[in-house]
Amino acid sequence: MKPDMHPAYGPVVFRDKAADYAFLTRSTLSSERTVEWEDGCTYPVVDVEISSASHPFYTGTARVLDTAGRVERFERRYGHRGDR
């Protein structure tokens, strides 16, 4: 493998401030800011807007649209036109 071809790959803490959740993983991202992790070591920290802890799809708070109910409500409001 050629030297200096790939970016540095190492441990990074990703922190979701909205959900007060953080996890340690490996990434090519880096940051000037650091945080002391549960193991006592210091790692770079990257703040993210959304993660699996706060995303509606993963937390089960996603809304399911009732398309049949929407069609019925439209027909009630504007009337059923029938065949032409």
Side-chain angles (χ1 to χ4, degrees):
M1 198 167 21
K2 293 181 182 178
D4 301 326
M5 185 173 178
H6 297 285
Y9 183 71
V12 178
V13 174
F14 286 90
R15 181 172 52 192
D16 181 357
K17 288 189 170 187
D20 194 31
Y21 176 72
F23 57 94
L24 177 66
T25 187
R26 296 179 55 85
S27 177
T28 58
L29 288 178
S30 185
S31 175
E32 298 283 324
R33 292 177 292 170
T34 59
V35 67
E36 186 173 333
W37 192 243
E38 299 160 355
D39 61 2
C41 295
T42 302
Y43 299 105
V45 63
V46 176
D47 291 324
V48 293
E49 295 285 326
I50 197 161
S51 70
S52 61
S54 61
H55 192 280
F57 178 78
Y58 294 107
T59 59
T61 58
R63 290 182 16 193
V64 176
L65 295 177
D66 180 18
T67 55
R70 296 176 81 192
V71 171
E72 291 167 358
R73 189 170 55 233
F74 177 84
E75 288 178 351
R76 267 194 319 245
R77 185 177 292 163
Y78 299 107
H80 185 68
R81 301 237 173 177
D83 293 336
R84 294 184 184 179

